[in-house]
Amino acid sequence: MVSEAKHPPAQLGPMPDGLSSQQIVRRHILGSIVQSERSYLDSLKRILQEYQRPLMEAEPRILSVRKIRPIFFRLREIMQCHSMFQIALASRVAEWDSCEKIGDLFVASFSKSMVLDVYSDYVNNFTNAMALIKKACMSKPAFLEFLKVRKQASSVDRITLYGLMVKPIQRFPQFILLLQDMLKNTPTGHVDRLPLQLALTELETLAEKLNEQKRVADQVTETQQLARCVSDRSLSKLLNSEQISLILCETLIETVYSERGQVLKSKERKVFLFGDMLICANINVKGPPDISSLVPVGPKYTLKWSAPLQQVQVVEVGQEGTQTKDTLYQLGGVKRPGGSSGSGNGSIILGPPRLYQELQELQHDLSVVEQVTLLVGTLQGTYQNLNTTVAQDWCLALQRLIRIKEDQIQSANKCRLRLQVPGRPDKSGRPVSFTVVFNTPSPVSKISWVNRFHLAKIALRDENTPGWLSAEDDGKTKAPFWCPLLACRMSVFTSKAREWKLEAALHNPVQCALLGFSAVSTSLPQGYLWVAGGGDSTQGQVDIFSLNRPTPRPVKSLQMGARVRCLEYVPEPTPSEDAETGPYNSTGVGNTICVGLDDGCILVYGSMDTAAQCLVTLRNSEGCPVLCLKHSGNFLFAGLRDGTLMVYERHPGGTSFITLDVSLYLTVGSDPIRTLLALEGSVWASCANTVTVLDVSSLSTQRFEVHQDPMVSVAHMVRAGGGAWMAFSEGSSIRLFHTETLEHLQEINISTPSSFYNPSQKSVRVTSLLICQGLLWVGTAQGIIITLPVPKLEGIPKITGKGMTSLNAHCGPVDFLVALSSTLSPDLLKRDSVVEGHDSACGVEDRSDSSSQESLQQASISAQVDGKRKGRGMLLQYRLRSTSGLPGRPLTVRGEEASDSSLESLEHSMEDGAIYELSDDPDMWVRGRPCDRKGVRRDRVISVAVISGGKGFRRLREGSVTTTAESTLMIWQLPLTV
């Protein structure tokens, strides 16, 4: 123990006069750091002084020393680490007003290997410690009484031993939140800014490692608990083996329906998704309440059924027609009047599918009424109640009914997971499947389950077993589930000569109409993929693919009169600077795609639909090839081969780059400008071995050298957080630079992580770079792709772990790497609120009275906010077009001028789905900071994929080299993030 007399705790002195508002905020955040650290140390002392010491000194013994030591394993060492940090913190706080620096202290204190070691040991032992406490409570009444007395004796908080022991697991996430606040209030150029970013990187890396260890330990515990309850020896042996991996497990509500779709009964089930198997188990009583109030008591399970994952199908409402005719379906979720489970040929309607049948009937009736309307219009005479106006009113009423039915189906799919599970064959040997219906706690849970099902099946394919290999791999380690999975590959420009080369690609995101959740969870991020290629200088082509399915689908091809060099997506400007909260502006030209050509032209295409019309052509007077494009704010930057940077400025009030004029010709150097990087308020342009920083507001420049060899050029730049990675035209190294101080922070040789390179090659050249979802993707001239872990937060994107090499490679250089990303839920609103302002035009209304509300009861119970308890709100917007699938225009008795944005309008407009409220999860390790209920939070569901382009396809280490030289795209999918 560190003596407080010798080393008094940190104490922030009185606030001096004349401080700026940011300095005042920083002092308050420092005070929070000091207070939280002191509280944490007090908690550690309480564990050791109020629990460990009395147990060790008790006479007679309550527990043996052999059992006491594992319970409090490594706690003393953790306290020692933080006692030393407290001494350094006190010294720094005392001189705060003269130095205002704290980031370097965190780096020095928590980058030591000892800190990771003691915390790792503690986290790995935590589940075992809780199991020992639980077992001792059941077998030693004196120990149970001891814990009860200590809880009662706790002064104000009455915190349990478990509540104290979980604090070390939560410590680093708490530090991260405090440092994020400090960095947010530290201006650019401040002496503490880079140290704070480095500290965030260190703490994020540490927290990620501990988080992964805790996740693995919890999964092992859950799997072992399940294995103990399985009577089947082969299944129990499989569960106890190291080969099985648990992807997802959650308590879901199994629901049983009557023939009419009414809920008869529901019961909690624990559902386990393994890498190749799905298991459903009954949950038994969790144990005596007096024990469960002191320490979490894990439930016991009874196996209900298990099934191979490949034979389990997710069936959304409306997809029942895809069932195989050769299979006999037992609708296990249906109870017939006699009480027995029904079986038949699939003609029985199960709950929500009745809604879909009613929708089909309404659509049929509408098509008939539309035909009748056309016939009525041909009548020669005039008849009462038989005229065009009346017939159009029939259409109007049917369209309203269809909209209501679609809303009901949408709500039915939100929290209901329907699975077709294989059962035992019938007496004739035909395969039999039964339907199981689960209610998930929230729409996000439903999305996660469908997404994990989809990815787990992809992971079983040959190309993903294995798909990635670590450089230090011993051949036994299995790649973690979060590794990108090769979802598909496809050839492009197949009709062109083999000399054609892929040049660039980009993602054009759009909002798509989707019915149900399966499509959201299993398809690629919504939008269009533009892929550019070319042969000689007079030939170029851009192919556009739709991404609303698991595989890209070609929709249009644009022929160019010159070779395409680069592409750039330019979003339409919005009144709000924050794209997340700003209104969607559908006026003007909209989003645009800029295409840079070898003849010096920049073609601007509209991206509102697949027509992709060329809106304007921008030319430079010299006809110099455009090698790179980048937009920032109201400017479009074009890097030319002769070293000139052209700057196009949007006219005030302009809605697209159609109205741009060249406002500046800037000579960066005599060498080509090979790549551009846009930052906040500046653009970096590479020319030979230097980078020129152009300030967008003042158009002033600053130049710095990034490579000592003048013959080496900067070929690629990517940015994350406070750093930018650069790759060069020669050599296999990549370098990291600070975006604010331009300081060189790290250098990595990417040839070392892989053993697949040809030993005769002296160097490996980088041909593409991408940062996506905490991974730095590196494409090489050998066609091999390497991923290196980097932090996701606002720190410095230093490479902090082992690299992984993809066993799926191109036969030629990796020409490009592009990320696809779409956000499913950008907004947060109260459950019962009516959206105001611009969103009211989208038809948002409360759907709480929908006919399928019974499926959401479990979610709504935990989600209600009574005003006294703060919860986390989330609006999940899944849009659909009410009648866009029907032929012709919607008929209305009102004129064209009557088409407005009211809820009664039957235009082909987007409509919002239901609004759900999610309460804070009590099991979350990191609980977000409290927020104003009226404010907007950034909780989102994000779908991500990565596409690489190059010649051919091959599997490393298998000797299978594809002979074709066709240009090929490989598409990787990552798990949805929330």
Side-chain angles (χ1 to χ4, degrees), residues 551-597:
T551 305
R553 178 173 53 91
V555 292
K556 191 175 182 64
S557 183
L558 305 174
Q559 302 299 321
M560 303 291 169
R563 184 174 180 175
V564 181
R565 288 290 187 175
C566 52
L567 298 170
E568 175 71 352
Y569 172 73
V570 182
E572 181 180 20
T574 59
S576 171
E577 290 295 322
D578 189 350
E580 297 295 331
T581 59
Y584 176 72
N585 184 6
S586 60
T587 61
V589 177
N591 305 326
T592 52
I593 308 291
C594 297
V595 182
L597 303 180

Side-chain angles (χ1 to χ4, degrees), residues 220-231 235-236 239 246 270 272 274 279-281 299 301-303:
V220 169
T221 302
E222 284 280 8
T223 306
Q224 290 175 346
Q225 180 74 9
L226 177 63
R228 284 192 288 269
C229 306
V230 173
S231 57
L235 181 55
S236 179
L239 291 172
L246 180 61
K270 190 79 169 189
F272 299 82
F274 292 95
I279 293 179
C280 177
Y301 304 120
T302 304
L303 181 67

Side-chain angles (χ1 to χ4, degrees), residues 33-259:
I33 293 173
V34 170
Q35 183 183 359
S36 70
E37 182 64 10
R38 185 164 190 175
S39 173
Y40 179 59
L41 271 171
D42 288 342
S43 297
L44 296 177
K45 288 177 184 176
R46 284 175 65 180
I47 299 174
L48 296 175
Q49 294 175 358
E50 296 180 15
Y51 288 92
Q52 186 189 38
R53 183 188 293 172
L55 285 172
M56 294 291 284
E57 297 174 351
E59 291 293 343
R61 287 280 184 195
I62 300 175
L63 283 182
S64 66
V65 176
R66 185 171 55 87
K67 290 183 179 178
I68 296 173
R69 283 177 177 163
I71 292 177
F72 304 101
F73 184 58
R74 286 292 207 174
L75 269 169
R76 194 170 292 277
E77 289 89 341
I78 289 177
M79 185 168 175
Q80 185 180 3
C81 290
H82 284 268
S83 295
M84 301 303 293
F85 175 66
Q86 176 82 318
I87 294 172
L89 182 63
S91 174
R92 186 59 59 89
V93 168
E95 58 186 29
W96 175 257
D97 293 311
S98 60
C99 70
E100 284 196 32
K101 196 173 180 182
I102 193 72
D104 59 327
L105 182 60
F106 278 90
V107 174
S109 300
F110 298 111
S111 60
K112 298 171 183 174
S113 59
M114 181 188 71
V115 176
L116 178 60
D117 290 342
V118 296
Y119 267 96
S120 295
D121 289 345
Y122 182 83
V123 167
N124 291 334
N125 181 67
F126 184 79
T127 306
N128 177 52
M130 293 303 108
L132 287 171
I133 294 174
K134 171 191 164 187
K135 191 174 181 180
C137 285
M138 292 179 170
S139 60
K140 303 277 187 181
F143 180 68
L144 178 59
E145 188 61 29
F146 170 79
L147 292 184
K148 287 181 180 178
V149 170
R150 290 293 166 184
K151 179 185 176 184
Q152 294 292 336
S154 296
S155 54
V156 181
D157 51 18
R158 299 187 66 184
I159 192 169
T160 62
L161 174 59
Y162 170 78
L164 291 170
M165 291 187 66
V166 81
K167 288 182 179 290
I169 294 174
Q170 301 167 332
R171 188 60 191 140
F172 291 110
Q174 291 167 350
F175 271 151
I176 287 171
L177 292 176
L178 289 166
L179 289 189
Q180 282 179 311
D181 277 345
M182 186 70 87
L183 180 62
K184 183 180 178 182
N185 290 280
T186 304
T188 303
H190 193 286
V191 66
D192 200 24
R193 191 158 174 85
L194 177 55
L196 279 173
Q197 290 171 323
L198 291 170
L200 264 178
T201 298
E202 290 290 347
L203 292 178
E204 182 188 352
T205 304
L206 187 57
E208 283 284 340
K209 289 177 180 176
L210 297 176
N211 183 47
E212 179 67 13
Q213 290 173 358
K214 180 73 167 63
R215 186 187 65 82
V216 171
D218 288 345
Q219 288 184 350
V220 169
T221 302
E222 284 280 8
T223 306
Q224 290 175 346
Q225 180 74 9
L226 177 63
R228 284 192 288 269
C229 306
V230 173
S231 57
D232 187 334
R233 286 188 177 182
S234 59
L235 181 55
S236 179
K237 185 177 179 181
L238 179 62
L239 291 172
N240 283 314
S241 69
E242 295 182 356
Q243 299 302 316
I244 197 161
S245 59
L246 180 61
I247 296 172
L248 187 62
C249 68
E250 192 174 14
T251 301
L252 305 179
I253 310 296
E254 184 178 359
T255 310
V256 178
Y257 298 93
S258 67
E259 271 194 299

Side-chain angles (χ1 to χ4, degrees), residues 665-725:
Y665 282 89
L666 179 66
T667 301
V668 176
S670 57
D671 293 281
I673 298 177
R674 299 186 60 167
T675 182
L676 295 169
L677 181 67
L679 306 177
E680 293 86 359
S682 67
V683 170
W684 289 16
S686 75
C687 185
N689 65 335
T690 63
V691 170
T692 299
V693 180
L694 174 66
D695 185 279
V696 175
S697 57
S698 65
L699 297 181
S700 60
T701 61
Q702 178 184 3
R703 185 173 301 177
F704 68 104
E705 187 177 286
V706 295
H707 200 282
Q708 65 279 7
D709 188 350
M711 302 303 294
V712 173
S713 301
V714 180
H716 308 280
M717 293 189 290
V718 290
R719 181 263 182 108
W725 280 100

Side-chain angles (χ1 to χ4, degrees), residues 470-473 477 482 753 775 786-789 799-804:
S470 172
E472 297 84 3
D473 202 342
T477 308
W482 52 259
L775 291 176
I786 298 167
T787 59
L788 300 156
I799 292 171
T800 55
K802 298 177 181 178
M804 301 286 287

Side-chain angles (χ1 to χ4, degrees), residues 865-931:
V865 177
D866 57 9
K868 299 178 182 178
R869 177 171 61 91
K870 288 188 176 180
R872 180 182 63 182
M874 179 176 289
L875 167 66
L876 292 175
Q877 268 183 339
Y878 295 95
R879 300 172 182 270
L880 58 122
R881 293 184 185 273
S882 58
T883 53
S884 60
L886 301 175
R889 295 177 62 254
L891 298 175
T892 173
V893 297
R894 296 179 296 178
E896 292 295 330
E897 71 280 356
S899 294
D900 58 27
S901 59
S902 69
L903 296 180
E904 294 300 315
S905 171
L906 287 175
E907 294 178 304
H908 286 193
S909 60
M910 306 298 280
E911 295 178 13
D912 288 336
I915 299 171
Y916 296 93
E917 180 89 15
L918 300 183
S919 65
D920 277 326
D921 183 355
D923 296 327
M924 288 281 285
W925 298 356
V926 186
R927 190 184 296 266
R929 285 159 288 185
C931 66

Side-chain angles (χ1 to χ4, degrees), residues 438-493:
F438 294 109
N439 283 336
T440 60
S442 67
V444 172
S445 171
K446 161 68 182 291
I447 293 172
S448 296
W449 273 100
V450 177
N451 180 251
R452 274 21 176 211
F453 270 120
H454 172 67
L455 293 181
K457 290 184 177 182
I458 292 177
L460 294 173
R461 297 175 185 171
D462 291 341
E463 59 266 29
N464 289 310
T465 52
W468 297 83
L469 202 63
S470 172
E472 297 84 3
D473 202 342
D474 54 5
K476 300 178 183 177
T477 308
K478 192 174 182 181
F481 180 73
W482 52 259
C483 275
L485 294 166
L486 182 61
C488 59
R489 67 179 192 271
M490 57 183 293
S491 298
V492 290
F493 304 136

